[in-house]
Amino acid sequence: MSRFLFRKRFRHTLENGVLTTLTFIFILGMLFSNRHELDKKMDLIHKGHQSLSTESLKTIAELKRQSRSIIIRGYFVDAEQENKFRILIDHYLSEDAPFHISYFDPQIHVLQSRKDKISHNSELILEENGNNVRIHILDELNLNRAIFLLIEGKTKNIYFSVGHGEALIDSEKNEGMSQSKEMLEAYQYNLSSISLQKKKLPTDIDLLVIAGPKKNLTFQEIEVVRKFVDGGGSLLLLLDAVQPSFSINSILNEYGLKYAPDFIVLAADDPMAKIAGQNTAIVDCFKFNHDLTKYFSKLANFQVLLKDARSVQANEVSGYSTDFPLETSASNVAIDQVYQEEDLRGLKAERIKKGPFQVLGIASKISAGPYSSLSRIIAVGSAQFATNIGINMEGNRDLFVNIINFLLRETKAVSMRYNPSPLNDDKKAAPHWVNYFSSI
């Protein structure tokens, strides 16, 4: 893949004094020539807050085009949270968003709060034509998701497989996904667990997730997954290094992807190894012309940290297109031919590969099945980034939300960031592999 398609993080500043001076003069000229446009935006950013995303502006334009009108009732116990939301909503109102807003204190307006069944200290009710959506994570992405739901009138269903040692969506343990579940449910997605031993998946499934299996799927389960994808379904696969990949690769091979039998690590003398752990793949290279990653490519110092990661490679198959929109840092190395933990012992130089590495692959094909839509598959070479121990990291959250929105074809939401309520960040990853990697 051509390196010019990516934007690397941590750019070095210009050292040429003449070039810097000329650039500064050019910028001043642009500022004065566009002063009127800047003045129009100053009311949105003078307090340090950016203006709305392009997708939010498109949403407002679509509401006005359809002559829609949305009633919003905001319930706030905390004055600071209310103020933050008022600043956000002022951005929408400055663009003439068709909102009619009322604010309530649940401790004062008790009857109104009971009528709306308020259960959080900060909560919104969005209503239109008798339909309503409630949200309690109050950010731009979530507000837009709620608007989309009112317009489309349909929630989407995500099913997580069980029975192979996968991360469980209701588990609060480090390896569980309860925080990811809470986050996705706040965006009005419906989450459920499902066994793949059924001969056919439910007809209401929009996305199937197989997150961190530690055992191979049976041939019958493989066939169930294949039929779902061939019928136009979306599939997300998350697989850590060392874990068995035979059955997952049996699925991926038909769609042009495969997991490599490697383990991506940092060299022992890398400063980041002491900070993040040697079993960390640092993802800092993002394709700027792909919907999944183009937003990340614009962010300074944006990173994703994948633990116990493996690479994802192409497996040429006719009829399927593949893409690899993000890569690890060149400072990462990979140990090849790792099928089990014992393969990490007695490492030889010829088994060490230099980075960067592709850790996320996308396969797609126009389906002729009953869905009549684009089948999408994403394979990520790590499951831990989406578990309770990894989802607290901002970059990991942003990537996971974007993956979900991309697979569900929520194109309007892919370019916006997730801004969570405070989460527990006290959990630390145990240095499980440190004894194996000390010689790298």
Side-chain angles (χ1 to χ4, degrees), residues 316-334:
E316 296 301 328
V317 175
S318 60
Y320 285 85
S321 62
T322 57
D323 209 339
F324 301 86
L326 55 82
E327 293 181 351
T328 70
S329 166
S331 62
N332 275 117
V333 297

Side-chain angles (χ1 to χ4, degrees), residues 33 38-39 73 116 122 132 151 166 178 196 260 269 295 317 325 350 354 359 362 364-365 383 418:
S33 65
L38 289 173
D39 286 344
R73 294 189 294 277
D116 276 335
S122 299
N132 66 75
I151 294 175
E166 296 97 327
S178 60
L196 298 178
D269 58 354
Y295 177 73
V317 175
E350 58 266 24
K354 294 183 178 180
V359 288
I362 302 174
S364 59
K365 178 184 180 180
Y418 169 67

Side-chain angles (χ1 to χ4, degrees), residues 363-430:
S364 59
K365 178 184 180 180
I366 299 297
S367 172
Y371 289 82
S372 299
S373 59
L374 180 67
S375 297
R376 286 181 174 177
I377 303 171
I378 288 184
V380 185
S382 173
Q384 287 198 32
F385 86 102
T387 64
N388 295 332
I389 202 170
I391 204 68
N392 286 317
M393 301 177 189
E394 184 178 52
N396 294 7
R397 285 195 302 269
D398 288 347
L399 176 62
F400 185 62
V401 170
N402 257 23
I403 288 172
I404 297 297
N405 287 330
F406 178 83
L407 288 171
L408 291 172
R409 302 168 182 85
E410 296 279 3
T411 55
K412 294 180 179 179
V414 171
S415 64
M416 291 178 284
R417 298 190 74 180
Y418 169 67
N419 295 310
S421 56
L423 297 173
N424 177 19
D425 59 359
D426 295 330
K427 300 172 183 176
K428 304 295 182 181

Side-chain angles (χ1 to χ4, degrees), residues 68-198:
R68 311 292 283 257
S69 180
I70 296 177
I71 297 172
I72 300 177
R73 294 189 294 277
Y75 292 85
F76 296 92
V77 173
D78 184 86
E80 182 178 355
Q81 290 296 320
E82 179 179 348
N83 184 57
K84 288 180 179 179
F85 177 74
R86 285 179 179 268
I87 292 173
L88 172 62
I89 211 69
D90 282 348
H91 295 353
Y92 285 84
L93 296 177
S94 70
E95 301 291 341
D96 298 323
F99 296 162
H100 302 278
I101 308 170
S102 302
Y103 294 94
F104 302 92
D105 184 334
Q107 297 176 343
I108 298 175
H109 305 92
V110 177
L111 295 180
Q112 180 67 38
S113 299
R114 288 178 179 175
K115 181 181 178 180
D116 276 335
K117 299 180 181 179
I118 299 303
S119 59
H120 293 80
N121 288 337
S122 299
E123 192 163 353
L124 293 186
I125 306 293
L126 284 77
E127 188 175 290
E128 187 202 36
N129 296 329
N131 299 318
N132 66 75
V133 175
R134 67 179 62 236
I135 57 177
H136 62 269
I137 294 181
L138 310 181
D139 59 13
E140 184 179 358
L141 174 54
N142 207 13
L143 183 57
N144 278 279
R145 277 281 302 136
I147 295 171
F148 300 156
L149 282 173
L150 281 178
I151 294 175
E152 297 173 2
K154 179 182 180 296
T155 59
K156 294 190 175 180
N157 302 307
I158 307 173
Y159 283 77
F160 287 74
S161 69
V162 296
H164 315 90
E166 296 97 327
L168 302 178
I169 56 175
D170 291 315
S171 174
E172 297 181 356
K173 296 180 179 180
N174 284 357
E175 64 272 16
M177 297 185 69
S178 60
Q179 292 185 21
S180 292
K181 178 186 179 183
E182 180 182 359
M183 177 177 66
L184 294 177
E185 286 181 336
Y187 288 126
Q188 313 303 314
Y189 291 130
N190 296 324
L191 274 66
S192 303
S193 299
I194 189 171
S195 170
L196 298 178
Q197 293 183 357
K198 299 182 178 182

